[in-house]
Amino acid sequence: MSGLSEPQTVRAPAEDTMFGPALRGWLAFMVLAIGWSVSRYYVGVANLEANGNPGWDTWLWWVPEIMVVVGILGLFILVVSLEASNHSRIANLANPTPFMRMSGEILPRLALVTALLIAAGLAMSFRAPPDDLQGQAARIMFIHVPAAWLSMACYTLTAISSAGYLIWRHPLADVSAKAAVPIGATFTLLALLTGSLWGKPMWGAYWVWDARLTSVLILFFLYLGLIALRQAIDDPGRAGRAAAILSLLGAVNIPIIKFSVNWWNTLHQPASVIRAGGPTIHPALLIPLLVMAFAFTLLFVALHMKAMRAEILRRRCEAMIAIHVRGGGEAANV
Amino acid sequence: MNAFLALIGRDLRLALRQGSAVGTALGFYLVAVAIIPLGLGPDLNLLSRIAPGILWISFLLSAVLSVDALFQEDRDDGSLDALVLGPLPAELIAASKSIAHWVTTCVPLIVVTPLAGLLLNIQAEALPKLLAALLAGTVGVSFVAGAGAALTLGLRKGALLLPLLILPLFTPFLIFGVGAMATSAGAFEQSILLLFALSLFSVAAMPFAAALALRLGLE
């Protein structure tokens, strides 16, 4: 073949290769693994009821633990390899171009580690023994508690990024704040939804006006306000600064709101993992919870990084369109 | 200091001579209070039990809906630009606006609160407590609302956006304001002190947020 008549190949942009065959294969494997763990779990419960023994093969029992160890090792290797490469200093991350390059390298590996840990965490959550008092319903805690932690962590990150943007006017800080808000709102909604699903069998109602539920609901409204304020302003720079002011206003008020709502009503169980005198939760439930919390944190980091990349690309597109409109035909080279 | 006082005096004179903004806020407050029994039924015992909550909520809504007019008119005729360019720092401009809002809106609303309470069959011993709580808390309400108004200045759908942004921040005022009516020993003193604390905090902190937003809005 001469090759001249071949149609010119159009290369997919680098962004698309991130969800390439490897990750798709991995996702399929993860779905199978979760399905397998769930089915094994139910077989085990049936066996346990029939002859007092779950009847699991011993080495299969330890698969999630092996996955956690592999995941953490992978994360460790990721961090070490970044430290070793020459363009990886944190200060470089403040510049969009090195950020795009670095996050492009990190993100696929981070996504793999996250998928591994979430798969392991879900398998461990299904494998954990049912709670003495709450039975199977307590299992929703493994989603609910990490989501609730992250709903607050996301707001903290938004507020820190906003302060950075207001003080140093650094565009990447604004990108970070903008990217974190919808993710935080989603985690908050997830915490509220899983909480009310848990509340129906436990408290007898999907929603009660308990202090913690109320303050998380108010946090959700603060997120909605941030999104609405950004949408109401066309100019991205002004929208970013207005949202930054509002998120700092919210950050100052959140402790006060939390205090006032606690004063108002308390029904939710008090904090049981991080408290003086050690956790009050049994290790059999605590370890899956911690694995899930770690996996969700990685998930947040990966989603945030991806959203920041998308936002940077969007701004570059807008800048290119602006140049094109202003510069007429010549700007086609840009 | 003179410029600061002159600015407050100007806003007060404007409110006094126009009169419409104050009247509208008062009318809104009374209608909001009067429409609630229509939805709940005319049971006087129920109404007297929930009267403080209804009055506080109607008060907060009136305060939020009246506050954006404060900056809006000055922005439309350009006098806000002149003020920000002038010698007075934007923080003090924002503070003077909030003080003017408190004097021209919150004080008249507090004055008609006994009348509105009458409509809801409020208990006679609860009324002085409610008025004290309103006096202590609404200064802070005006300052928080001022910061919100500066933030949504001149935006599309700003009137709808402002309550969404500001009402969540009013939660502590509402909780302690209604908490002051509780019958348990010491609840009143505790709530009043906390309301004062909230107001002092808002007076100290909100003008800075409002000034940032004002400078941003006028760019």
Side-chain angles (χ1 to χ4, degrees), chain B residues 128-215:
Chain B
K129 285 183 182 178
L130 179 66
L131 292 180
L134 283 172
L135 272 174
T138 50
V139 184
V141 167
S142 281
F143 273 81
V144 175
L151 204 56
T152 56
L153 188 59
L155 295 189
R156 278 178 282 126
K157 295 173 284 183
L160 210 55
L161 191 58
L162 182 61
L164 173 62
L165 304 188
I166 288 303
L167 284 179
L169 302 183
F170 279 165
T171 323
F173 292 101
L174 187 58
I175 287 174
F176 295 127
V178 178
M181 304 302 121
T183 45
S184 53
F188 175 71
E189 289 78 6
Q190 204 180 6
S191 302
I192 285 287
L193 286 177
L194 285 167
L195 279 173
F196 268 121
L198 280 175
S199 282
L200 285 175
F201 171 74
S202 305
V203 169
M206 290 306 152
F208 293 98
L212 273 177
L214 268 187
R215 288 195 208 102

Side-chain angles (χ1 to χ4, degrees), chain B:
Chain B
M1 195 63 211
N2 277 337
F4 181 63
L5 292 179
L7 194 55
I8 297 178
R10 166 181 172 275
D11 280 328
L12 295 187
R13 267 196 302 282
L14 274 175
L16 205 65
R17 290 178 190 167
Q18 288 179 332
S20 65
V22 180
T24 316
L26 280 179
F28 178 87
Y29 180 56
L30 288 176
V31 168
V33 168
I35 207 166
I36 286 169
L38 298 182
L40 292 177
D43 178 3
L44 285 181
N45 289 331
L46 173 71
L47 287 179
S48 89
R49 194 159 57 80
I50 61 176
I54 293 177
L55 291 170
W56 259 100
I57 291 169
S58 311
F59 196 109
L60 292 179
L61 288 177
S62 323
V64 169
L65 293 176
S66 61
V67 79
D68 69 336
L70 213 59
F71 288 107
Q72 199 64 49
E73 284 170 14
D74 279 0
R75 180 181 177 272
D76 289 346
D77 66 10
S79 47
L80 198 56
D81 292 273
L83 282 173
V84 171
L85 287 176
L88 206 56
E91 284 82 3
L92 284 183
I93 296 172
S96 85
K97 290 282 176 192
S98 293
I99 292 172
H101 177 257
W102 188 72
V103 175
T104 60
T105 307
C106 293
V107 170
L109 289 182
I110 294 174
V111 170
V112 299
T113 294
L115 181 64
L118 211 61
L119 287 175
L120 297 173
N121 190 31
I122 194 170
Q123 284 154 349
E125 63 269 22
L127 195 56
K129 285 183 182 178
L130 179 66
L131 292 180
L134 283 172
L135 272 174
T138 50
V139 184
V141 167
S142 281
F143 273 81
V144 175
L151 204 56
T152 56
L153 188 59
L155 295 189
R156 278 178 282 126
K157 295 173 284 183
L160 210 55
L161 191 58
L162 182 61
L164 173 62
L165 304 188
I166 288 303
L167 284 179
L169 302 183
F170 279 165
T171 323
F173 292 101
L174 187 58
I175 287 174
F176 295 127
V178 178
M181 304 302 121
T183 45
S184 53
F188 175 71
E189 289 78 6
Q190 204 180 6
S191 302
I192 285 287
L193 286 177
L194 285 167
L195 279 173
F196 268 121
L198 280 175
S199 282
L200 285 175
F201 171 74
S202 305
V203 169
M206 290 306 152
F208 293 98
L212 273 177
L214 268 187
R215 288 195 208 102
L216 173 66
L218 294 175
E219 261 173 18

Side-chain angles (χ1 to χ4, degrees), chain A residues 106-225:
Chain A
I106 297 172
L107 202 45
R109 304 178 211 173
L110 187 64
L112 277 175
V113 172
T114 308
L116 190 72
L117 280 171
I118 286 186
L122 282 177
M124 288 167 93
S125 309
F126 277 109
R127 206 192 54 190
D131 186 79
D132 264 358
L133 292 173
Q134 304 179 355
Q136 304 293 351
R139 243 174 254 291
I140 205 163
M141 168 188 85
F142 298 122
I143 303 278
H144 172 73
V145 174
W149 280 345
L150 276 174
S151 69
M152 288 179 275
C154 283
Y155 200 93
T156 313
L157 180 70
T158 309
I160 292 172
S161 303
S162 300
Y165 184 51
L166 280 182
I167 295 167
W168 293 291
R169 294 285 163 84
H170 199 293
L172 216 53
D174 179 41
V175 169
S176 160
K178 185 178 178 185
V181 168
I183 304 173
T186 312
F187 277 126
T188 315
L189 190 62
L190 191 63
L192 286 171
L193 289 180
T194 51
S196 67
L197 286 179
W198 178 86
K200 182 63 181 170
M202 291 305 135
W203 292 335
Y206 284 114
W207 186 262
V208 288
W209 286 98
D210 153 69
R212 232 184 251 208
L213 273 74
T214 312
S215 47
V216 173
L217 185 66
I218 291 172
L219 181 66
F220 184 59
F221 289 146
L222 289 175
Y223 276 124
L224 289 189

